[in-house]
């Protein structure tokens, strides 16, 4: 399946290629550094079929995709080749904490597939050995162990490569620097117990394999040295001289100072985290477990990856990782609760699918598509995760490998002495979140209201919804086109037909004019002019999408008579569409959906033929009786 069209729409949605400083992806989301985050359009992005939601956090603009993100990113890099590698282009001024989280995410996110694959293999080996199905002394076990261990042994090199990429430095020189840290002859000399010196200065005997912080410090220094040298070394000899000087300056400083410092800092911070996890007991589990869904949503969990790896390398176990499993299963349980209780077939189907995806270890679709928009399931998720976290830390549950997946496929990473209690914490979190979701319930109308709202806007949207609902007035939506009114389910596009974008209808047009369906402000206008959104003063937001897959026409056949930010009145001429041209290759259905219901529900939908600007349906305020 090709994602080229989606990639181009995403680029346009974040403000165009010129607004993108850099981009990379993790397991579920595209992560952009933008020159101006205000140029990104939430409505435009969430209208892209592959986009689950957006999140603007820590100066980083995240577009949540799900498990298709590698393919979407490949299409993104194909559309804009410079996005395939990190650059150090100037972007918006960020706070130190923002730069730190952005840097850590950029370093570790590209490594997660290799870490996840190798970690899962190590977990499976542990499971097979635990069950007695493989002999730890066999050559087969030796080879499989080498496959699982190699990634972690080479972490200094892999981290150097991604750090250099993030900082805009030469990746191959970075690999050469990190390679010195695990060079066999040097490692043997440092481990022998005999003093090792460089120019008379003592080299601290430290082991760098399986570590990440020394390598990060070395590449930060390297990027600074390299940039300085590139400014003063003549271009004609730069290719040879800059790498030479960089190597002979950075490597000794790393061995004499940065390496030991990084090892000390890493061990100290890991020790502090471990102390809290060891001594905080169930209370720490409650606090961390409850906050984890929010931490996962913002992507801040990547900041803990270096310390988790340090724990696994030094002690062979980590107590934080089991809490991520608890959060994953709690989120999946809440999604299952929505699926069981929901009356809407569309919502029920979406909930079942996201619950399954969550059990497979990817929770963002459930978090952004259900749990956050519906709000009460988020409370159930946090309580379930908190209870499971209390059990996990209360009984000292450990993870023994970084499987890279907190769902069912990653369970082998927990196999060991505490595996039984790990399962208890997971099951309790899952069941409790499911039951609480059933008990607390949720307002299904909120789903349509927040389907196209970014997670970071959820609270503000809710306030607006409540205020608008109090006004109580009905909002009449008129037909944007003349033609035959047909059910949304007949549209040949699952995103619209299944109601993912919200409730509405479609019109099979018989004339070229498109008018505004309501009076209000144009809050979105696609660059290709095939879709636009209007928000009324009462907070109802209506999306009009002309045709299926018409973004591929790149504006051919569409003429816009409005601009984003304009005020329009219902029935005002906003687009002219050459349906003869569009209809040669695309379905011409004019789709009208409510992406922000503002405390109302769709009623009195007309059928049959309609003239331009005739009443189409009404958005009526939801009464307390109807809500119950």
């Amino acid at each position: 399946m090709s994602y080229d069209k989606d990639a181009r729409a995403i680029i346009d949605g974040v403000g165009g290629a010129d607004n993108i400083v850099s981009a990379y992806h993790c397991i579920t989301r595209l992560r952009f550094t933008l020159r101006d985050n205000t140029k990104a359009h939430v409505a435009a992005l969430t209208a892209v079929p592959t986009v689950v939601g957006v999140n603007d956090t820590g100066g980083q603009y995240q577009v949540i995709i799900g498990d298709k993100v590698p393919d979407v990113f490949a299409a993104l890099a194909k559309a804009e080749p410079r996005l395939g590698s990190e650059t150090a282009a100037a972007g918006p001024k960020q706070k130190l904490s923002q730069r730190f989280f952005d840097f850590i995410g950029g370093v570790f996110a590209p490594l997660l597939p290799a870490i996840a694959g190798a970690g899962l293999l190590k977990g499976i080996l542990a499971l097979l050995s635990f069950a007695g199905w493989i002999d730890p002394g066999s050559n087969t076990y030796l080879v499989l162990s080498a496959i699982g261990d190699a990634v972690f042994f080479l972490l200094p090199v892999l981290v150097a490569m991604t750090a250099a990429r993030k900082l805009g430095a030469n990746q191959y020189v970075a690999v050469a620097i990190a390679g010195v840290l695990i060079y066999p002859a040097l490692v043997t000399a440092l481990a022998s117990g005999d003093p090792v010196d460089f120019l008379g200065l003592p080299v601290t005997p430290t082991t760098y394999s399986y570590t990440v912080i020394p390598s990060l410090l070395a590449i930060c220094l390297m990027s600074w040295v390299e940039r300085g040298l590139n400014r003063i070394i003549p271009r004609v000899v730069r290719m040879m001289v800059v790498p030479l000087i960089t190597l002979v300056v950075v490597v000794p400083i790393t061995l004499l100072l940065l390496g030991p410092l990084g090892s000390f800092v890493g061990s100290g911070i890991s020790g502090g985290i471990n102390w809290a996890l060891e001594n905080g007991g169930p209370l720490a589990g409650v606090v961390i477990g409850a906050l984890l869904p929010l931490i996962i949503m913002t992507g801040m969990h990547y900041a803990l990856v270096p310390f988790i790896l340090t724990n696994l390398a030094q002690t062979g176990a980590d107590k934080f990782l089991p809490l991520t499993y608890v959060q994953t299963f709690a989120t999946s349980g809440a999604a299952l609760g929505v699926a069981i209780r929901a009356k809407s077939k569309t919502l029920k189907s979406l909930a079942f699918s996201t619950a399954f995806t969550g059990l497979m270890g990817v929770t963002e679709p459930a978090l952004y598509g259900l749990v956050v928009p519906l709000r009460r399931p988020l409370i159930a998720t946090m309580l379930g995760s908190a209870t499971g976290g209390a059990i996990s830390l209360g009984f000292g549950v450990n993870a023994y490998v970084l499987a890279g997946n907190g769902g069912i496929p990653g369970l082998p990473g927990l196999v060991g002495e505490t595996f039984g209690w790990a399962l208890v914490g997971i099951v309790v979190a899952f069941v409790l979140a499911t039951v609480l979701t059933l008990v607390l319930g949720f307002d299904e109308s909120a789903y349509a209201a927040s389907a196209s709202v970014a997670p970071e806007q959820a609270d503000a949207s809710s306030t607006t919804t409540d205020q608008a609902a109090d006004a109580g007035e009905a909002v009449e939506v008129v037909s944007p086109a003349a033609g035959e009114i047909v059910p949304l389910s007949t549209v040949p596009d699952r995103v619209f037909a299944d109601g993912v974008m919200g409730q509405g209808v479609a019109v099979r047009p018989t004339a070229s004019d498109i008018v505004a369906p309501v009076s209000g402000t144009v809050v979105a206008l696609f660059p290709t002019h095939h879709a636009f959104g209007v928000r009324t003063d009462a907070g109802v937001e209506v999306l009009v999408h002309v045709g299926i897959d018409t973004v591929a026409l790149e504006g051919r056949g569409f003429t816009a008579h409005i601009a984003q930010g304009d005020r329009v009145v219902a029935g005002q001429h906003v687009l002219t569409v050459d349906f003869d041209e569009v209809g040669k290759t695309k379905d011409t259905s004019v789709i009208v959906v409510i992406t922000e219901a503002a405390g109302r529900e769709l009623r009195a939908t007309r059928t049959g033929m309609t003239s331009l600007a005739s009443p189409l349906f009404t958005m009526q305020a939801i009464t307390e009786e109807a809500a119950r």
Side-chain angles (χ1 to χ4, degrees):
M1 180 177 179
S2 173
Y3 295 101
D4 293 347
K5 296 165 189 171
D6 287 11
R8 176 48 62 185
I10 290 171
I11 291 172
D12 292 338
V14 297
D18 291 341
N19 195 40
I20 302 174
V21 176
S22 63
Y24 64 94
H25 73 89
C26 58
I27 290 179
T28 58
R29 58 189 90 184
L30 301 171
R31 295 167 176 264
F32 293 95
T33 299
L34 304 179
R35 289 187 169 83
D36 183 356
N37 285 16
T38 63
K39 291 184 178 180
H41 306 299
V42 173
L45 287 167
T46 52
V48 180
T50 51
V51 174
V52 175
V54 298
N55 190 18
D56 185 357
T57 180
Q60 186 184 80
Y61 205 86
Q62 303 171 2
V63 179
I64 297 89
I65 304 294
D67 55 3
K68 301 182 182 70
V69 70
D71 298 325
V72 176
F73 182 78
L76 204 74
K78 178 182 175 184
E80 291 291 335
R82 72 177 180 84
L83 300 182
S85 60
E86 296 290 348
T87 65
K93 185 70 174 178
Q94 295 178 318
K95 296 178 181 178
L96 181 61
S97 60
Q98 294 174 338
R99 294 201 302 270
F100 171 75
F101 286 120
D102 181 58
F103 175 67
I104 291 295
V107 169
F108 287 101
L111 298 179
L112 287 181
I115 291 174
L120 189 55
L121 176 58
K122 287 167 67 69
I124 292 172
L125 272 178
L127 181 61
L128 293 176
S129 178
F130 180 78
W133 294 341
I134 190 171
D135 180 7
S138 67
N139 290 328
T140 299
Y141 185 91
L142 175 63
V143 172
L144 292 175
S145 293
I147 296 172
D149 282 337
V151 169
F152 298 96
F153 178 81
L154 293 171
L155 269 177
V157 175
L158 296 174
V159 164
M161 177 179 290
T162 55
R165 180 184 180 191
K166 181 65 179 172
L167 294 170
N170 189 300
Q171 297 179 57
Y172 305 103
V173 175
V175 166
I177 291 171
V180 176
L181 300 179
I182 58 173
Y183 185 67
L186 182 60
V187 170
T188 301
L190 291 173
S192 67
D194 297 328
V196 177
D197 69 89
F198 177 76
L199 299 178
L201 298 173
V203 177
T204 303
T206 302
T207 300
Y208 295 107
S209 54
Y210 299 91
T211 66
V212 294
I213 296 181
S215 188
L216 286 175
L217 294 176
I219 304 311
C220 287
L221 173 63
M222 172 217 160
S223 67
W224 182 80
V225 171
E226 189 177 76
R227 282 196 298 271
L229 291 173
N230 282 329
R231 285 196 291 265
I232 62 175
I233 301 295
R235 186 177 297 275
V236 68
V237 295
R238 189 177 297 168
M239 187 180 71
M240 295 175 292
V241 175
V242 170
L244 170 64
I245 298 176
T246 301
L247 286 168
V248 298
V249 169
V250 174
V251 171
I253 293 177
T254 300
L255 290 174
L256 295 170
L257 178 62
L258 296 182
L261 176 63
S263 296
F264 175 78
V265 170
S267 297
I269 296 178
S270 296
I273 293 174
N274 289 336
W275 184 90
L277 294 173
E278 290 280 359
N279 297 280
L283 179 60
V286 168
V287 174
I288 298 173
L291 293 177
L292 260 180
L294 307 179
I295 293 172
I296 297 293
M297 284 174 55
T298 60
M300 292 172 62
H301 54 296
Y302 284 113
L304 294 170
V305 172
F307 313 118
I308 292 171
L309 292 172
T310 299
N311 284 341
L312 293 174
Q314 293 180 349
T315 67
D318 178 75
K319 283 185 165 51
F320 181 82
L321 274 176
L323 301 180
T324 66
Y325 285 78
V326 165
Q327 178 273 329
T328 295
F329 280 84
T331 303
S332 303
L336 179 61
V338 173
I340 295 172
R341 177 158 178 159
K343 296 178 181 179
S344 164
K345 292 182 179 179
T346 299
L347 183 55
K348 188 179 290 288
S349 175
L350 178 65
F352 271 123
S353 66
T354 56
F356 175 77
T357 302
L359 290 173
M360 292 300 104
V362 180
T363 58
E364 274 84 352
L367 278 171
Y368 287 103
L370 290 175
V371 172
V372 172
L374 295 175
R375 294 195 291 176
R376 287 182 184 173
L378 177 59
I379 297 173
T381 298
M382 295 175 70
L383 291 174
S385 184
T387 305
I391 294 172
S392 181
L393 287 189
F395 290 94
V397 173
N398 283 315
Y400 300 94
V401 295
L402 179 58
N405 185 305
I408 293 174
L411 288 178
L414 299 174
V415 173
E417 295 178 357
T418 58
F419 186 52
W421 285 114
L423 292 180
V424 170
I426 286 171
V427 171
V428 168
F430 180 81
V431 173
L432 184 59
T434 303
V435 172
L436 286 174
T437 300
L438 294 173
V439 172
L440 294 173
F442 46 86
D443 180 4
E444 292 192 30
S445 66
Y447 172 69
S450 53
S452 66
V453 180
E456 71 274 12
Q457 295 175 320
D459 291 339
S461 299
S462 301
T463 302
T464 303
T465 296
D466 294 339
Q467 291 172 344
D470 290 340
E473 77 274 17
V475 175
E476 186 177 73
V477 179
V478 303
S479 179
E484 181 187 4
I485 303 171
V486 297
L488 205 58
S489 59
T490 65
V491 173
D493 185 294
R494 281 192 58 191
V495 174
F496 291 110
D498 291 347
V500 173
M501 290 303 299
Q503 296 177 299
V505 296
V507 179
R508 291 175 180 157
T510 56
S512 61
D513 290 342
I514 302 295
V515 301
V518 290
S519 299
T521 303
V522 178
V523 293
L525 176 65
F526 274 65
T528 51
H529 300 159
H530 74 287
F532 64 92
V534 180
R535 183 186 295 127
T536 71
D537 292 339
V540 175
E541 190 168 316
V542 185
L543 172 69
V544 176
H545 194 288
V546 182
I548 302 299
D549 200 28
T550 43
V551 66
L553 297 177
E554 299 179 343
R556 295 191 302 276
F558 294 87
T559 302
H561 308 294
I562 54 171
Q564 186 162 321
D566 285 356
R567 292 283 299 182
V568 294
V569 296
Q572 178 180 329
H573 188 201
V574 294
L575 296 179
T576 301
V577 183
D578 185 348
F579 282 112
D580 291 334
E581 176 66 23
V582 173
K584 291 178 181 177
T585 56
K586 306 297 179 184
D587 183 282
T588 58
S589 300
V590 178
I591 299 159
V592 186
V593 293
I594 305 301
T595 55
E596 171 59 78
R600 294 165 174 78
E601 60 183 0
L602 188 150
R603 295 181 184 174
T605 302
R606 287 190 55 205
T607 58
M609 300 300 294
T610 181
S611 58
L612 196 66
S614 293
L616 193 59
F617 54 79
T618 302
M619 297 301 297
Q620 192 75 37
I622 301 173
T623 63
E624 292 186 6
E625 291 79 6
R628 286 197 292 266

Coordinates of all heavy atoms in Angstrom, one line a residue, residues 270 273-274 277-278 304-313 315-325 392-393 396-402 413-414 418:
S270 N 21.0 6.0 37.8 CA 20.3 4.8 37.8 C 20.2 4.3 39.2 O 19.1 3.7 39.6 CB 21.1 3.7 37.0 OG 21.2 4.1 35.6
I273 N 17.3 6.2 40.8 CA 16.0 5.7 40.3 C 15.7 4.4 40.9 O 14.6 4.1 41.4 CB 16.0 5.6 38.8 CG1 16.1 7.0 38.1 CG2 14.7 4.9 38.3 CD1 16.2 7.0 36.6
N274 N 16.7 3.5 41.0 CA 16.5 2.2 41.6 C 16.2 2.3 43.1 O 15.4 1.5 43.6 CB 17.8 1.4 41.4 CG 17.9 0.9 39.9 OD1 17.0 0.9 39.2 ND2 19.1 0.7 39.5
L277 N 12.6 3.1 43.3 CA 11.8 2.0 43.0 C 11.9 0.9 44.0 O 10.9 0.2 44.3 CB 12.2 1.4 41.6 CG 12.0 2.3 40.4 CD1 12.6 1.7 39.1 CD2 10.5 2.5 40.2
E278 N 13.0 0.7 44.6 CA 13.2 -0.3 45.6 C 12.6 0.1 47.0 O 12.0 -0.8 47.6 CB 14.7 -0.6 45.9 CG 15.4 -1.2 44.7 CD 15.2 -2.7 44.7 OE1 14.5 -3.3 45.6 OE2 15.7 -3.4 43.8
L304 N 14.0 7.9 30.0 CA 14.4 6.8 30.9 C 15.1 5.7 30.3 O 15.6 4.8 30.9 CB 13.1 6.3 31.7 CG 12.5 7.3 32.6 CD1 11.1 6.8 33.1 CD2 13.3 7.7 33.8
V305 N 15.1 5.6 28.9 CA 15.7 4.5 28.2 C 17.2 4.3 28.6 O 17.6 3.2 28.9 CB 15.6 4.6 26.7 CG1 16.4 3.6 26.0 CG2 14.1 4.5 26.3
P306 N 18.0 5.4 28.7 CA 19.4 5.1 29.1 C 19.6 4.5 30.4 O 20.5 3.6 30.6 CB 20.0 6.6 29.1 CG 19.1 7.4 28.2 CD 17.8 6.8 28.4
F307 N 18.8 4.8 31.4 CA 18.9 4.3 32.7 C 18.4 2.9 32.8 O 18.9 2.1 33.6 CB 18.2 5.2 33.7 CG 18.5 6.7 33.5 CD1 17.6 7.6 33.1 CD2 19.9 7.1 33.6 CE1 17.9 8.9 32.9 CE2 20.2 8.4 33.3 CZ 19.3 9.3 33.0
I308 N 17.3 2.6 32.0 CA 16.9 1.2 31.9 C 17.9 0.3 31.4 O 18.2 -0.8 31.9 CB 15.6 1.1 31.1 CG1 14.4 1.8 31.8 CG2 15.2 -0.3 30.8 CD1 13.2 2.0 30.9
L309 N 18.6 0.8 30.3 CA 19.7 0.0 29.7 C 20.8 -0.2 30.7 O 21.5 -1.3 30.7 CB 20.1 0.6 28.4 CG 19.1 0.6 27.3 CD1 19.6 1.5 26.1 CD2 18.8 -0.8 26.8
T310 N 21.1 0.9 31.4 CA 22.2 0.8 32.4 C 21.9 -0.3 33.5 O 22.7 -1.1 33.9 CB 22.5 2.1 33.1 OG1 22.9 3.1 32.1 CG2 23.5 2.0 34.1
N311 N 20.6 -0.3 34.0 CA 20.2 -1.3 34.9 C 20.4 -2.7 34.4 O 20.9 -3.6 35.1 CB 18.8 -1.0 35.4 CG 18.6 0.2 36.3 OD1 19.6 0.6 36.9 ND2 17.4 0.7 36.4
L312 N 19.9 -2.9 33.2 CA 19.9 -4.2 32.6 C 21.4 -4.7 32.4 O 21.7 -5.9 32.6 CB 19.2 -4.3 31.3 CG 17.7 -4.0 31.4 CD1 17.1 -3.9 30.0 CD2 17.0 -5.2 32.1
A313 N 22.3 -3.8 32.1 CA 23.7 -4.1 31.8 C 24.4 -4.4 33.1 O 25.2 -5.3 33.2 CB 24.4 -3.0 31.1
T315 N 22.9 -4.9 36.4 CA 22.3 -5.8 37.4 C 21.5 -7.0 36.7 O 21.1 -7.9 37.4 CB 21.4 -5.1 38.3 OG1 20.3 -4.6 37.6 CG2 22.1 -3.9 39.0
G316 N 21.3 -6.9 35.4 CA 20.5 -7.9 34.7 C 19.0 -7.8 35.0 O 18.3 -8.7 34.5
A317 N 18.5 -6.7 35.6 CA 17.1 -6.6 35.9 C 16.8 -5.1 36.0 O 17.6 -4.3 36.3 CB 16.7 -7.3 37.1
D318 N 15.5 -4.8 35.8 CA 15.0 -3.4 35.9 C 13.6 -3.4 36.5 O 12.7 -4.3 36.0 CB 15.0 -2.7 34.6 CG 14.5 -1.3 34.7 OD1 15.2 -0.4 35.2 OD2 13.4 -1.1 34.2
K319 N 13.2 -2.5 37.4 CA 11.9 -2.5 38.0 C 11.0 -1.5 37.4 O 9.8 -1.5 37.6 CB 12.1 -2.2 39.5 CG 12.5 -3.4 40.3 CD 12.5 -3.1 41.8 CE 12.6 -4.4 42.6 NZ 13.7 -5.3 42.2
F320 N 11.5 -0.6 36.5 CA 10.6 0.3 35.9 C 9.8 -0.3 34.7 O 8.7 0.0 34.5 CB 11.4 1.6 35.4 CG 10.5 2.6 34.7 CD1 9.8 3.5 35.5 CD2 10.4 2.7 33.4 CE1 9.0 4.5 34.9 CE2 9.6 3.6 32.8 CZ 8.9 4.5 33.6
L321 N 10.5 -1.1 33.9 CA 9.9 -1.7 32.7 C 8.6 -2.4 33.0 O 7.6 -2.3 32.3 CB 10.9 -2.7 32.1 CG 11.9 -2.1 31.1 CD1 12.8 -3.1 30.6 CD2 11.1 -1.4 29.9
P322 N 8.5 -3.2 34.1 CA 7.2 -3.9 34.4 C 6.0 -2.9 34.5 O 4.9 -3.2 34.2 CB 7.4 -4.6 35.7 CG 8.9 -4.9 35.7 CD 9.5 -3.7 35.1
L323 N 6.3 -1.7 35.0 CA 5.2 -0.7 35.1 C 4.7 -0.3 33.7 O 3.5 0.1 33.6 CB 5.7 0.6 35.8 CG 6.3 0.3 37.2 CD1 6.7 1.6 37.9 CD2 5.2 -0.3 38.1
T324 N 5.5 -0.3 32.7 CA 5.1 0.0 31.3 C 4.1 -1.1 30.8 O 3.2 -0.8 30.0 CB 6.3 0.2 30.4 OG1 7.0 -1.0 30.2 CG2 7.2 1.3 30.9
Y325 N 4.4 -2.3 31.2 CA 3.5 -3.4 30.8 C 2.1 -3.2 31.5 O 1.1 -3.3 30.8 CB 4.0 -4.8 31.3 CG 5.2 -5.3 30.5 CD1 6.5 -4.8 30.6 CD2 5.0 -6.3 29.5 CE1 7.5 -5.3 29.9 CE2 6.0 -6.8 28.8 CZ 7.3 -6.3 29.0 OH 8.3 -6.9 28.2
S392 N 3.1 -4.5 41.3 CA 4.4 -4.7 40.7 C 5.6 -4.3 41.6 O 6.5 -5.1 41.9 CB 4.5 -3.9 39.4 OG 5.8 -4.2 38.7
L393 N 5.5 -3.1 42.1 CA 6.6 -2.6 43.0 C 6.5 -3.3 44.4 O 7.5 -3.5 45.1 CB 6.6 -1.1 43.1 CG 7.2 -0.4 41.9 CD1 7.3 1.1 42.2 CD2 8.5 -0.9 41.4
G396 N 8.2 -6.5 44.1 CA 9.5 -6.5 43.5 C 9.7 -7.1 42.2 O 10.6 -7.7 41.8
V397 N 8.6 -6.9 41.3 CA 8.7 -7.5 40.0 C 9.8 -6.8 39.1 O 10.0 -5.6 39.2 CB 7.3 -7.2 39.2 CG1 7.4 -7.7 37.8 CG2 6.2 -8.0 40.0
N398 N 10.5 -7.7 38.4 CA 11.6 -7.3 37.6 C 11.3 -7.6 36.1 O 10.6 -8.6 35.8 CB 12.9 -8.0 37.9 CG 13.5 -7.4 39.2 OD1 13.6 -6.2 39.4 ND2 14.0 -8.3 40.1
A399 N 11.9 -6.8 35.2 CA 12.0 -7.2 33.8 C 13.5 -7.5 33.6 O 14.4 -6.9 34.2 CB 11.6 -6.0 32.9
Y400 N 13.8 -8.5 32.7 CA 15.1 -8.9 32.6 C 15.7 -8.6 31.2 O 16.9 -8.7 31.0 CB 15.2 -10.5 32.8 CG 14.7 -10.8 34.2 CD1 13.4 -11.2 34.4 CD2 15.5 -10.7 35.3 CE1 12.9 -11.4 35.7 CE2 15.1 -11.0 36.6 CZ 13.8 -11.4 36.8 OH 13.3 -11.6 38.0
V401 N 14.9 -8.2 30.3 CA 15.4 -7.7 29.0 C 14.5 -6.6 28.5 O 13.3 -6.5 28.9 CB 15.4 -8.8 27.9 CG1 16.4 -9.9 28.2 CG2 14.0 -9.4 27.6
L402 N 15.0 -5.7 27.7 CA 14.2 -4.6 27.1 C 13.6 -5.2 25.8 O 14.2 -5.2 24.8 CB 15.0 -3.4 26.8 CG 14.3 -2.2 26.2 CD1 13.1 -1.7 27.0 CD2 15.3 -1.0 25.9
G413 N 10.1 -10.9 28.1 CA 11.0 -10.0 28.8 C 10.8 -10.0 30.3 O 11.7 -9.6 31.0
L414 N 9.7 -10.5 30.8 CA 9.4 -10.6 32.2 C 9.7 -11.9 32.9 O 9.6 -12.1 34.1 CB 8.0 -10.2 32.5 CG 7.5 -8.8 32.1 CD1 6.0 -8.7 32.2 CD2 8.3 -7.7 32.8
T418 N 10.2 -13.4 39.3 CA 9.0 -12.6 39.7 C 8.0 -12.6 38.6 O 7.0 -11.8 38.6 CB 9.4 -11.1 39.9 OG1 10.0 -10.6 38.8 CG2 10.4 -11.0 41.1

